[in-house]
Amino acid sequence: MNSRNIIMTPADHEELEAVVTFTGKVSERAQTELRSLENELKRAIILAPDAIPADVITMNTRAELIDLDSNERMEFTLVLPSDADINAGKISVLAPLGTAMLGYRVGDEFEWSVPYGMRRLKVSKVHFQPEANLKRAA
């Protein structure tokens, strides 16, 4: 896990805080995932959407990661749990790797605990970021 600050929009922060708050009765594993997300939210630097650098992973961003130990490349779109579909490359922000991706930018390296151990990852590319797309459209 990393202690560096991450970057996110006010809307993403608010929506994810609501996800954490709306826990209801969930499994122990889900509680752990919610706590991880909550910890990420606490260290977030909140920036207006037009101030978010284009290489930051925000919600609905499609990004490429490299596993620094295996050199495996993976590409995911970070989504809310209700939109997750791993077969379509959509990873939930509550999945350990999804939580890990949030707020990092191209070139950042981080370690994260996943169900089968620790992974050392690097953000290699952002293919699509909603905030950057809006800036280009304006």
Side-chain angles (χ1 to χ4, degrees), residues 32-100:
T32 299
E33 292 164 351
L34 285 166
R35 279 192 299 275
S36 293
L37 178 58
E38 186 174 33
N39 289 334
E40 292 299 280
L41 294 174
K42 286 178 184 175
R43 64 190 189 93
I45 296 172
I46 311 300
L47 297 177
D50 62 350
I52 300 281
D55 65 347
V56 172
I57 300 173
T58 62
M59 293 303 297
N60 299 302
T61 294
R62 185 148 195 89
E64 185 176 308
L65 306 174
I66 299 172
D67 184 306
L68 295 173
D69 295 319
S70 69
N71 285 326
E72 173 191 2
R73 289 184 178 271
M74 56 202 99
E75 190 174 316
F76 295 109
T77 300
L78 186 62
V79 298
L80 291 172
S82 60
D83 298 321
D85 179 353
I86 201 67
N87 293 325
K90 295 179 179 181
I91 191 166
S92 169
V93 69
L94 289 183
L97 184 56
T99 302

Side-chain angles (χ1 to χ4, degrees), residues 1-8 13 16 20 33-46 93 96 98-104 110-112:
M1 315 247 180
N2 204 320
S3 60
R4 288 180 46 198
N5 288 330
I6 59 172
I7 299 169
M8 68 176 54
H13 195 269
L16 294 173
V20 169
E33 292 164 351
L34 285 166
R35 279 192 299 275
S36 293
L37 178 58
E38 186 174 33
N39 289 334
E40 292 299 280
L41 294 174
K42 286 178 184 175
R43 64 190 189 93
I45 296 172
I46 311 300
V93 69
T99 302
M101 295 170 59
L102 182 64
Y104 283 104
F110 54 94
E111 276 190 355
W112 203 261

